[in-house]
Amino acid sequence: MPARATVLLKSSRSLQSFFIETAMTAPTYNLMLRQAQLRDRPEPVDIGIEAGRIAAIAPRLPQTGQQEIDAAGQLVSPPFVESHIHLDSALTAGEPRWNESGTLFEGIQIWGERKQHLTLEDVKARAIATLKLQAQQGVLYVRSHADVSEPDLIALKGLLEVREAVRDWLTLQVVAFPQDGLYSQPHNDALLEEALKLGADVVGGIPHYELTREDGVRSVARIFDLADRYDRLIDIHCDEIDDEQSRFLEVMAAAAIRRDNGARVTASHTTAFGSYNNAYAYKLMGFLQRSRLNFIANPLINITLQGRTDTYPKRRGVTRVKELWQAGLNVSLGHDCVQDPWYRFGTGNMLDVAHMAVHVCQMTGGAETEACFDMVTHQGAQTLHCASDYAIAVGNPANLILLDASDAHEAIRRRSAVRAVVSRGKRLTQTVPARTDWLG
Ligand code: FE2
């Protein structure tokens, strides 16, 4: 009996007709992508996948695959990276009430009420549903914050269980995040350390929400100490406020410079940086370049939450993404919230995030738009410290996505569907792009 191969047709109209089977000689590869357009190659290539890894890349591979996907010259990319999301609160919008002021701080109050009713099953079910929503849209690397301000650490324990449950198809990092502040309650400091003992990957913080500036400075030092002691990465919610006097970013930069660990440290949000006067911002940028910190901006959320106390002109409330990128610093983008007390919208689609960044950060030039695509792919991988085998290259794990787009610009412009997701060398999802028939 000849081996059989499955061929994915670009023009298929339904899932039922998505595949045809053809008799072929013995296949060489488990999976073959035909005519995939990579961003760093002038012409499409074939990609052979074997035993979960990329085995060959060439303009025309003579071998066949047990399964084949015809990319037909469309864009193939490494997976999207979600570098900042809160899976513990995802899909709770309206519970127990809606955020009518639209502010970050009403969101924290509502979440404070909702989290009194968390159960492990509740957290796990919503987190896995959100991860599946993201994975079908090409996200295979996720960093999620887990609120460790409640005494039973249910959010954290739930997400650690989810991390193991999805390990075969998605890489999940969990940040121990003291949402209510490290020093706002006597037990919060111990809860953060307990979260690290339980296995959180990253130490988080929220210095601008501590009771005093001194507490905020002290919290940054404590977070860096814990990261050293438990050998963990750092990702701090930093200066997520319109207050131009909120200046914990300089505290983080100083700590990273002195400990020479900036590549392992991320400053998330840093929206106050958008309000600093230019003289201070210019000085700070030099320190940031010395520190080599990573940055994460969340343009969907911060264009929504920030500027709420402004009249007009209203600030955009997003950090200086373009200037950080131009300064050579690593910047990635996060969705932050999906249907939760801070943001009742949200699709989990990283192209929505990049699309908003292009607009809010005014990154509409050719290289700038490409950079925004990098911020939801390669630069996110750098933030998560998983960039070493992330790229589409021979020998790397076969994690890649096929977009219904010819290039990164079109993908962002149309927020194109992800036609196929390959994880660990296996097809994980397939999507048939929406089609309209003109009947007039
Ligand atoms: Fe956040």
Side-chain angles (χ1 to χ4, degrees), residues 5-9 18-22 24 66-70:
T6 306
V7 178
L8 178 60
L9 294 179
F18 213 55
F19 292 92
I20 64 171
E21 290 195 338
T22 55
M24 290 188 173
Q66 289 173 305
Q67 297 180 324
E68 296 207 355
I69 299 175
D70 181 7

Coordinates of all heavy atoms in Angstrom, one line a residue, residues 5-9 18-22 24 66-70:
A5 N -1.0 11.0 1.6 CA -0.7 12.3 2.0 C -1.9 13.2 2.0 O -2.8 12.9 1.2 CB 0.4 12.9 1.1
T6 N -2.0 14.1 2.9 CA -3.1 15.0 3.0 C -2.7 16.3 2.5 O -1.7 16.9 2.9 CB -3.7 15.1 4.4 OG1 -4.0 13.8 4.9 CG2 -4.9 16.0 4.4
V7 N -3.4 16.9 1.5 CA -3.0 18.2 0.9 C -4.1 19.2 1.3 O -5.2 19.1 1.1 CB -2.9 18.0 -0.6 CG1 -2.5 19.4 -1.2 CG2 -1.9 17.0 -1.0
L8 N -3.6 20.3 1.9 CA -4.5 21.4 2.2 C -4.6 22.4 1.1 O -3.6 22.8 0.5 CB -3.9 22.2 3.4 CG -4.6 23.4 4.0 CD1 -6.0 23.0 4.4 CD2 -3.8 24.0 5.1
L9 N -5.8 22.6 0.6 CA -6.0 23.4 -0.6 C -6.4 24.8 -0.2 O -7.2 25.1 0.7 CB -7.2 22.8 -1.4 CG -6.9 21.5 -2.0 CD1 -8.2 21.0 -2.7 CD2 -5.7 21.5 -2.9
F18 N -11.8 20.8 3.0 CA -10.5 21.5 3.2 C -9.3 20.6 2.8 O -8.3 21.0 2.5 CB -10.4 21.9 4.7 CG -9.6 23.1 5.0 CD1 -9.9 24.3 4.3 CD2 -8.5 23.1 5.8 CE1 -9.2 25.4 4.6 CE2 -7.8 24.3 6.1 CZ -8.1 25.4 5.4
F19 N -9.5 19.3 3.0 CA -8.5 18.3 2.7 C -8.9 17.4 1.6 O -10.0 17.0 1.4 CB -8.2 17.5 3.9 CG -7.5 18.3 5.0 CD1 -8.3 18.8 6.0 CD2 -6.2 18.4 5.1 CE1 -7.7 19.6 7.0 CE2 -5.6 19.2 6.1 CZ -6.4 19.7 7.1
I20 N -7.9 17.0 0.7 CA -8.1 15.9 -0.1 C -7.0 14.9 0.1 O -5.9 15.3 0.6 CB -8.2 16.2 -1.6 CG1 -6.8 16.8 -2.0 CG2 -9.3 17.2 -1.9 CD1 -6.7 17.0 -3.5
E21 N -7.2 13.7 -0.1 CA -6.1 12.7 0.1 C -5.7 12.2 -1.3 O -6.4 12.0 -2.2 CB -6.6 11.5 0.9 CG -6.9 11.9 2.3 CD -7.0 10.7 3.2 OE1 -7.3 9.6 2.7 OE2 -6.8 10.9 4.4
T22 N -4.4 12.1 -1.4 CA -3.8 11.7 -2.7 C -2.8 10.5 -2.4 O -2.1 10.6 -1.4 CB -3.1 12.8 -3.4 OG1 -2.1 13.3 -2.5 CG2 -4.0 13.8 -3.9
M24 N 0.6 8.7 -2.7 CA 1.9 9.1 -3.0 C 2.9 8.1 -2.6 O 2.6 7.1 -1.9 CB 2.2 10.4 -2.2 CG 1.5 11.6 -2.8 SD 2.0 13.2 -2.0 CE 1.1 14.3 -3.0
Q66 N 3.8 13.5 4.8 CA 2.6 12.7 5.1 C 1.4 13.6 5.1 O 0.3 13.2 4.7 CB 2.7 12.0 6.5 CG 3.7 10.9 6.6 CD 3.9 10.4 8.0 OE1 4.3 11.2 8.9 NE2 3.7 9.1 8.2
Q67 N 1.6 14.8 5.5 CA 0.6 15.8 5.3 C 1.2 17.0 4.7 O 2.4 17.3 4.9 CB 0.0 16.3 6.7 CG -0.7 15.1 7.4 CD -1.3 15.6 8.8 OE1 -0.7 16.4 9.4 NE2 -2.5 15.1 9.1
E68 N 0.5 17.7 3.8 CA 1.1 18.9 3.2 C 0.1 20.1 3.3 O -1.1 19.9 3.2 CB 1.4 18.6 1.7 CG 2.5 17.5 1.5 CD 3.3 17.7 0.2 OE1 2.9 18.6 -0.6 OE2 4.2 16.9 0.1
I69 N 0.6 21.2 3.5 CA -0.1 22.5 3.5 C 0.4 23.3 2.4 O 1.6 23.6 2.3 CB 0.0 23.2 4.9 CG1 -0.5 22.3 6.0 CG2 -0.7 24.5 4.8 CD1 -0.2 23.0 7.4
D70 N -0.5 23.7 1.5 CA -0.1 24.6 0.4 C -0.3 26.1 0.9 O -1.4 26.6 0.9 CB -1.0 24.3 -0.8 CG -0.6 25.2 -2.0 OD1 0.4 26.0 -1.9 OD2 -1.3 25.2 -3.0

